[in-house]
Amino acid sequence: MSQPVQTGSRPTFLEELREQRFDDHRFYHQSRINQSLHFVSALCFLGAYVYLFIDPVVSVFLGWICAMGTRQSGHFFFEPRGYDKVNQTTHEHKEAIKVGYNLQRKVVLIAVWALSPLFVWAEPTLFGLLEAKPGIYGFLHNVSLVWIGIGALALLGRTLYLCLTRNVQSGLVWCSKILSDPFHDALIYHRSPLALLKGELFDPMHDVAARQ
């Protein structure tokens, strides 16, 4: 994702939030399939937000399996990785300057997430960090707690990194963007499935051309 444009004064929090969201859209969401999967993911995340107050196990599995599964499959399998004619830049350049998790960082995060149930199975209390619970639901409950921890650490770690390497506002903006992405994605990509059904595989990105 591109660096904030340097002007005479620092952009406000909301201005930088809009810029980060726009960069994320124009650089990483050109495929209508990816956009449609992000719409499905957004709905799953919104459901996870609700279930967080009802049943954390359901919430975490909605978030990590349904929401993250559809979201990241869109990035890995459907978003083009060749030369970006819309933004006139290479995929490698976009990955190098991305504010959040690029594909390489996502592979590491997904690997940690996927392997974590094995650690819970081998050491149900995680060396005293968790309370051992009987049965399959007890196992799933502890896995969900571990997944909550992984998600929180991933969010907090990247936020602190951006605060230290850029500035505090950029880190907090990115954190706010991630937490509010389900609402934003549901809003801007709700028409993408219909466009895809009409045979439009890629977003013409008229909004990007309008700002260039």
Side-chain angles (χ1 to χ4, degrees):
M1 200 172 298
S2 66
Q3 301 279 353
V5 176
Q6 297 298 319
T7 60
S9 60
R10 178 182 296 180
T12 66
F13 187 95
L14 291 179
E15 287 172 343
E16 187 169 352
L17 178 59
R18 285 193 292 267
E19 191 67 26
Q20 284 196 20
R21 280 177 170 167
F22 183 67
D23 282 349
D24 191 49
H25 165 68
R26 69 188 179 106
F27 281 145
Y28 298 103
H29 299 88
Q30 297 181 24
S31 166
R32 286 297 194 188
I33 299 177
N34 188 24
Q35 290 181 359
S36 299
L37 289 173
H38 270 62
F39 174 63
V40 174
S41 172
L43 298 182
C44 292
F45 265 126
L46 293 176
Y49 283 177
V50 173
Y51 264 95
L52 190 60
F53 302 96
I54 302 172
D55 188 335
V57 174
V58 174
S59 173
V60 173
F61 276 78
L62 265 176
W64 269 108
I65 295 181
C66 300
M68 287 292 284
T70 51
R71 176 172 296 257
Q72 300 310 326
S73 63
H75 284 300
F76 278 97
F77 302 118
F78 300 106
E79 196 65 25
R81 301 188 194 179
Y83 184 78
D84 184 348
K85 295 181 180 179
V86 173
N87 300 288
Q88 299 181 0
T89 188
T90 64
H91 173 76
E92 291 74 18
H93 178 68
K94 292 189 294 186
E95 289 287 279
I97 64 173
K98 185 170 173 60
V99 172
Y101 283 83
N102 60 22
L103 293 182
Q104 184 176 6
R105 299 185 195 112
K106 286 178 181 179
V107 168
V108 174
L109 179 60
I110 291 172
V112 171
W113 163 77
L115 293 174
S116 59
L118 297 179
F119 289 97
V120 178
W121 176 79
E123 181 54 50
T125 68
L126 281 187
F127 307 103
L129 294 176
L130 302 175
E131 178 185 350
K133 295 181 179 294
I136 184 64
Y137 187 84
F139 170 74
L140 294 177
H141 181 271
N142 281 354
V143 168
S144 70
L145 293 178
V146 172
W147 284 356
I148 288 176
I150 292 172
L153 287 174
L155 182 64
L156 180 61
R158 190 64 184 174
T159 299
L160 291 176
Y161 175 82
L162 293 172
C163 288
L164 293 173
T165 58
R166 294 194 174 198
N167 57 71
V168 173
Q169 178 174 292
S170 292
L172 295 179
V173 165
W174 178 81
C175 182
S176 300
K177 175 189 170 299
I178 294 299
L179 292 175
S180 60
D181 264 351
F183 302 94
H184 184 252
D185 288 351
L187 178 64
I188 67 171
Y189 295 137
H190 70 281
R191 296 182 183 275
S192 297
L194 180 59
L196 185 61
L197 288 175
K198 291 180 178 179
E200 187 177 83
L201 295 179
F202 294 96
D203 189 335
M205 292 283 168
H206 296 309
D207 51 345
V208 175
R211 289 186 55 171
Q212 289 178 344

